[in-house]
Amino acid sequence: MESNQRLLVISPHLDDAVLSCGLLLAAHPGTVVCTVFTAPPAENITTDWDRAAGFADAFEAMRTRQAEDREALGLLSALPVHLLFRDAQYHASPGADELLTALSQIVAHAKPTRVLMPLGLFHSDHVMVANACLALMRRQPATRFIAYEDVPYRRMSGVVQERLCDLAKRGYAADAPHALDVPGTTQHERMKRAALDAYRSQLRAFGPEGQASLFSPERYWQLARDESSRHPQSA
């Protein structure tokens, strides 16, 4: 990838960017990582996932997870931006227009040449963010959008191909990018593993079996509007 490229990674949760794009981040210091769901609920609650991660309640969880994210991205020389939306487990997901407006503002400020977005696999938060990015892509025709395969959900049988078929039906073409530098050097692998280790609470929730699937090859898809599609649909 050309040295003058400015990357913006859109991450649903506080770990998704490193899980899915950690090698890319290691190779491109200065990348902006915008995480969408980083706010606690309006009133404190306790969820099964937060308990599994070792937290007493949601307020403690989000405070600690933000700190973990800053530590992890710091190890990769990436720049964190935290949007204050609440994820699905806190029962207060943002509206589509509200999310699109916030992401538009981030893009306007960062002025990226490439936006990396989740492919949008399985998890409702991931699908919501991916669909908002698709809408943003239509507003930003001069900016290249690249979808990353969401870890760990990409390991679920058939989910990647199902999503690609869905995108094709909606008028989006997905191809392997030709100019994306994702090195597999030992140095970058060490950097990614160190960054993943910073998400201590999330590794605890994944457990030993789940952790084994987290460090896997990164895969990306170049997205474009397919104007030849007979049935293009809005995101």
Side-chain angles (χ1 to χ4, degrees), residues 5 20 34 41 44 49 56 59 83 109 113 120 139 152 180 184 195 227:
Q5 293 298 312
S20 301
C34 174
N44 207 357
W49 181 262
F59 285 3
L83 298 183
H109 180 74
T113 55
R139 291 188 179 185
L180 194 65
E227 301 302 335

Side-chain angles (χ1 to χ4, degrees), residues 3 7-8 14 35 39 42 75 98 114 121 128 135 138 140 149 156 169 174 209 221:
S3 60
L7 303 185
L8 168 65
L14 292 158
T35 304
L75 292 170
E98 184 182 12
R114 281 182 172 86
L121 304 180
M128 176 183 293
R138 296 200 305 274
Q140 304 282 340
E149 293 187 4
M156 300 171 66
K169 291 176 182 177
E209 184 175 346
W221 299 88

Side-chain angles (χ1 to χ4, degrees), residues 180-213:
L180 194 65
D181 180 20
V182 187
T185 67
T186 301
Q187 176 188 2
H188 290 109
E189 289 179 356
R190 284 200 300 262
M191 291 172 67
K192 178 175 180 176
R193 289 185 184 276
L196 286 176
D197 287 344
Y199 295 107
R200 289 170 287 275
S201 66
Q202 302 312 288
L203 294 178
R204 188 180 303 116
F206 278 116
E209 184 175 346
Q211 290 180 36
S213 67

Side-chain angles (χ1 to χ4, degrees), residues 75-128:
L75 292 170
L76 298 173
S77 298
L79 307 175
V81 175
H82 292 165
L83 298 183
L84 296 179
F85 293 118
R86 301 180 180 101
D87 67 30
Q89 69 170 335
Y90 298 145
H91 313 295
S93 298
D97 290 342
E98 184 182 12
L99 179 54
L100 177 57
T101 296
L103 292 178
S104 297
Q105 292 172 350
I106 295 298
V107 170
H109 180 74
K111 297 180 174 60
T113 55
R114 281 182 172 86
V115 175
L116 286 98
M117 53 171 277
L119 190 56
L121 304 180
F122 181 71
H123 194 297
S124 61
D125 288 339
H126 285 241
V127 175
M128 176 183 293

